[in-house]
Amino acid sequence: MVPRNIVNKIYKKCKNITITKGRKDSEMYDIIIGAGPAGISAAIYGKSRGKNVLVLEKNRWVD
């Protein structure tokens, strides 16, 4: 579960993104929040399956 305050922060940053029904899979993205070990693993897995992947990270650099 994601804490409510984190969800609210993400919502505020992403509320201007519009989601349109009826888009092709090639136009859709898997959005991964966090570029830690699990996030990067999920991104690699998604790309290996031919998905478009967007990784969001709050820090400028990932260690």
Side-chain angles (χ1 to χ4, degrees), residues 46-63:
K47 286 303 287 181
S48 73
R49 299 292 184 245
K51 302 286 186 177
N52 294 320
V53 178
L54 173 64
V55 179
L56 302 176
E57 172 60 43
K58 69 177 179 177
N59 298 314
R60 188 171 184 172
W61 302 104
V62 178
D63 293 329

Side-chain angles (χ1 to χ4, degrees), residues 1-2 5-6 8 10-11 14 17 20-21 23 25 33 35-37 39 41 44 46 49 51 55 59:
M1 300 248 350
V2 179
N5 61 336
I6 302 298
N8 288 338
I10 294 169
Y11 174 76
C14 297
I17 296 174
T20 306
K21 291 182 180 179
R23 294 227 175 204
D25 284 344
I33 300 171
S41 296
I44 291 169
R49 299 292 184 245
K51 302 286 186 177
V55 179
N59 298 314

Side-chain angles (χ1 to χ4, degrees), residues 24-44:
K24 297 178 183 175
D25 284 344
S26 62
E27 298 172 346
M28 301 292 285
Y29 282 84
D30 289 341
I31 300 174
I32 300 165
I33 300 171
I40 294 299
S41 296
I44 291 169

